[in-house]
Amino acid sequence: PKWLAKLFATVVTFRHQYVKNGFMKISDLQTVWKTDLSCSDVLYDSLLEVLQGFDIVYVYDENTLLVPCLLPVTEPGFLD
């Protein structure tokens, strides 16, 4: 459905600069959803669960999301 595609696009799009090296603050996602989707706070947890269910994002810690498709292409130096 169109609403689902738009939900995915709010995270993986390059229109905003909130995702840095594959990580995004959870508070920034709330800001994007309020701006791009006119989303109320009531739906936030449910929409985040949808993104997690489709493996679009993972909760990294209590403040941060991991967005795997936006991780840097180059391998981090600590893996050498």
Side-chain angles (χ1 to χ4, degrees), residues 56-73:
I56 303 296
V57 300
Y58 297 92
V59 176
Y60 182 75
D61 63 31
E62 65 185 37
N63 300 312
T64 312
L65 297 171
L66 170 64
V67 186
C69 67
L70 296 178
L71 285 168
V73 175

Side-chain angles (χ1 to χ4, degrees), residues 4 7 13 17 20 23-25 28 36 38 40-43 46 48 58 63-64 68:
L4 188 59
L7 177 68
T13 186
Q17 300 298 316
K20 306 280 189 221
F23 292 91
M24 179 180 202
K25 293 179 185 175
D28 288 341
D36 291 1
S38 300
S40 72
D41 293 338
V42 176
L43 295 175
S46 297
L48 183 57
Y58 297 92
N63 300 312
T64 312

Side-chain angles (χ1 to χ4, degrees), residues 30-44:
Q30 290 172 318
T31 299
V32 170
W33 283 351
K34 284 181 184 178
T35 304
D36 291 1
L37 300 179
S38 300
C39 179
S40 72
D41 293 338
V42 176
L43 295 175
Y44 173 75

